[in-house]
Amino acid sequence: MLRILFLLITISCFPACKDDGLDKPPTTNPEDTVELSDTLIIPPLQEMVVYEVNMRAFSDAGTFSGIQSRLDNIQDMGANVIWLMPIYPIGEVKTVNSPYCIRDYRAVNAEYGSLNTLKALVSAAHDRGMAVIIDWVANHTAWDHPWISAHKDWYSQDGNGNIIEPPGTGWTDVAELNYESGSMRQEMIESMLFWIDEAGIDGFRCDAIDFVPDSFWNEALASLKAHTDKDLILLGEGGVLANFEVGFEMNYAWDFKTAIARVFSEGMSAETIISTHKSEYTKVLAGGEKLRYITNHDLYAWETTPIEDFGLKGSVSAFVITSYLGGIPLIYDGQEIGHPTNISFFDKNPINWSLNPDVYDAYKDIMTARAELSAVHYGEMKSYTSKDVVAFKRFTAKQEVLVIVNVRNSLKVFDVPDELANTQWKDVLADTDKTISSSVSLEGLQYLILVRDL
C-alpha cells in the first residue's frame, strides 16, 4: 500500500478521463472456452513457496501468456503458488495507472489478456502442480467504477454527502467503500466467487485487510470456503492476530523484513533476526504462518531494492535465512536475478532476465534443496546465533538441517556449541560430506546448508 504515497507527486502526470458509461460487469467473451485443469492438489501450507508476479515487469509482453511462457523459471524458484497482482481494468478518473485502482471486479484488464488467456495460464500452472491466487482489493474502488453512480451508498461520504478517498492515506485515485452496506458486502463476496468459478483460481491475496472490518472478512472467507471443495489459499496483507481469527492462514512478516535489513545494512546484532522471528509467531494462531520476504512489489517499487538493503551477494544470504528459518517464503519477480533498480508496477517495466545468472542459479539451488528437506517444512527450530552469524537448526525425529550464515562482509569465526561439535553432515549445495568441529570459518556473507538424517 506504500504505492499510493506517491500519488500527490504523480497525479498531475495523468489527466482524468470521462466515465465510459459502464453500468454492469461485461459478459464473458464467447471465445473464453478454455477447459480448466482439475489436476492440481493444493500444496500443504507448510510446503508453500509463493512467487509474486508483476505482469508489467515479468515479460516483454506484459500479459498472462508472457507468464505462461516462463512457468519453468517460476518452478526453478521452488514456487508452488503463483500470486498475480491485480488483473482488473484500471480506473481512468484521477488515475495514476495503479492496478490497485479497480474499475470492475469481474473483468480482466485487456492490457494483460482475456479471461481465456487467464484460464489458460491457470490450467498450465495446475498441470505443473502450481496453484494460482489473485490480488483482491476490498477497501476501495476507482472513481469510475459503475458502483459510484449506481450505488452511492456503497461508499463512505463526508458530511456534505461527497464520496471520499480513504481518510488519512493520500490515496486520491480511489474511493473508500462503506462496509455498513450489507448489499455492497454481498456483491463483493459474489465477485470473489466469480473468479473461483470462472477462472479456477485457488485463493486470494487480500490487500490492506486491516482497513476493512473484521466482520466482513469473517463473513467473506466463510462464504468462500463453503462454496468450494478446494482448500483455498488465503493470504492477507495484515500483521495482527485478528487476521487469523477471521480466517486468513497467512499474513505479513513486516517486522522480520525490517529486522533482517537492519542486521545486514546497519550492523545490528544477528540475534535480532531470531528474536523477531519468535516475537512474530506469538501473534499467529496454531496452523497459521507468516509470509517471509526480503522484498515485495511495494518495497521494490518505492523503497529500497534488495541490493540496497543487503548488497548483491548479501541478498542471497539474507534469502537463505528468510526461506529456511520458518514461515512461507515469498519471491518477487526480479529479486532472483538481483535486479539493481526499482521495479514499477504503474507502467510497463520489463525485467532483463539475463542479469546476474549466478544469482539465479544460487536461488535455484537453494530452493531445490529446500524442497527436499522435510525438517525445514515441518521441523522445530533451535537457534545458536551470535552477533555476526545466524545459525539455527530445523529438526524432526528423522532429520536435522543446520543453516549457518555470516551476515557480515568480512571473515567471521563461528564457535560451534558443544552439542554440534565434531558431528558429521552433508553439505546439500556442494553435495559433499562435512565435519563440524569446534569452530567454522566463514568468508564474508558465506552460507552453509547442512543436513543429516537420524
Side-chain angles (χ1 to χ4, degrees), residues 41-348:
I41 298 176
I42 292 178
L45 179 63
Q46 295 89 341
E47 297 180 20
M48 288 182 187
V49 176
V50 181
Y51 189 97
E52 181 186 3
V53 176
N54 169 1
M55 266 79 72
R56 287 170 161 173
F58 187 76
S59 70
D60 290 340
T63 62
F64 300 130
S65 297
I67 300 168
Q68 188 173 338
S69 69
R70 290 186 55 85
L71 287 177
D72 283 346
N73 303 91
I74 295 176
Q75 281 200 308
D76 279 352
M77 296 300 103
N80 49 25
V81 178
I82 300 172
W83 156 20
L84 302 179
M85 290 177 66
I87 61 173
Y88 322 98
I90 294 171
E92 297 178 336
V93 173
K94 301 184 181 181
T95 188
V96 294
N97 207 30
S98 168
Y100 288 86
C101 175
I102 294 170
R103 188 162 54 94
D104 189 336
Y105 282 113
R106 299 199 198 189
V108 168
N109 185 345
E111 176 185 345
Y112 307 140
S114 66
L115 180 59
N116 198 43
T117 55
L118 172 61
K119 290 164 67 175
L121 169 60
V122 172
S123 289
H126 285 180
D127 288 342
R128 291 168 176 265
M130 294 188 286
V132 179
I133 64 175
I134 59 175
D135 232 315
W136 195 259
V137 185
N139 178 66
H140 49 258
T141 74
W143 289 97
D144 49 350
H145 193 292
W147 293 354
I148 290 278
S149 56
H151 301 284
K152 185 178 178 181
D153 61 308
W154 288 8
Y155 290 85
S156 300
Q157 301 174 35
D158 63 18
N160 296 319
N162 300 308
I163 296 174
I164 60 173
E165 65 191 51
T169 63
W171 303 344
T172 58
D173 68 333
V174 292
E176 184 180 69
L177 288 164
N178 170 25
Y179 274 87
E180 293 183 4
S181 171
S183 56
M184 186 279 291
R185 287 180 177 229
Q186 188 57 43
E187 180 59 27
M188 180 72 71
I189 294 169
E190 292 296 326
S191 294
M192 297 178 83
L193 295 174
F194 170 88
W195 294 102
I196 296 173
D197 294 340
E198 297 300 322
I201 62 100
D202 305 299
F204 298 91
R205 177 270 185 186
C206 296
D207 186 68
I209 58 175
D210 296 332
F211 285 52
V212 174
D214 287 343
S215 60
F216 169 74
W217 292 123
N218 193 47
E219 176 186 3
L221 301 187
S223 296
L224 297 181
K225 293 172 184 177
H227 183 76
T228 179
D229 292 334
K230 284 186 179 183
D231 185 14
L232 292 174
I233 301 167
L234 299 170
L235 163 62
E237 188 196 19
V240 298
L241 182 63
N243 303 154
F244 298 97
E245 293 171 340
V246 300
F248 287 100
E249 57 186 351
M250 288 182 275
N251 72 358
Y252 272 44
W254 283 318
D255 293 343
F256 184 88
K257 193 279 168 182
T258 299
I260 196 169
R262 294 188 67 187
V263 167
F264 276 80
S265 64
E266 300 178 15
M268 183 179 288
S269 171
E271 294 170 319
T272 307
I273 295 171
I274 304 300
S275 62
T276 304
H277 164 78
K278 292 178 178 179
S279 175
E280 283 192 327
Y281 270 91
T282 65
K283 295 174 281 188
V284 176
L285 291 183
E289 292 286 358
K290 302 296 288 189
L291 186 74
R292 286 276 167 79
Y293 52 89
I294 62 171
T295 193
N296 59 36
H297 65 276
D298 279 326
L299 298 174
Y300 229 133
W302 310 127
E303 295 194 16
T304 54
T305 71
I307 311 310
E308 292 170 313
D309 280 337
F310 308 101
L312 183 60
K313 186 177 180 181
S315 69
V316 180
S317 304
F319 179 71
V320 169
I321 299 168
T322 303
S323 57
Y324 276 71
L325 180 60
I328 307 302
L330 171 71
I331 301 171
Y332 176 60
D333 56 20
Q335 79 174 73
E336 72 269 39
I337 48 95
H339 192 282
T341 57
N342 294 112
I343 302 174
S344 173
F345 54 89
F346 278 15
D347 47 36
K348 200 170 179 181

Side-chain angles (χ1 to χ4, degrees), residues 263-265 310-318 320-321 388 404-412 442-448:
V263 167
F264 276 80
S265 64
F310 308 101
L312 183 60
K313 186 177 180 181
S315 69
V316 180
S317 304
V320 169
I321 299 168
D388 298 316
I404 307 173
V405 183
N406 180 1
V407 301
R408 311 301 179 207
N409 196 18
S410 59
L411 180 71
K412 296 295 176 183
L442 298 162
E443 297 177 2
L445 302 171
Q446 182 183 354
Y447 53 86
L448 294 172

Side-chain angles (χ1 to χ4, degrees), residues 389 402 404 412-418 420-423 434-442 448 450:
V389 176
L402 179 63
I404 307 173
K412 296 295 176 183
V413 176
F414 173 62
D415 293 326
V416 176
D418 291 343
L420 298 178
N422 303 309
T423 53
K434 186 174 183 65
T435 300
I436 296 293
S437 58
S438 60
S439 65
V440 177
S441 293
L442 298 162
L448 294 172
L450 311 176

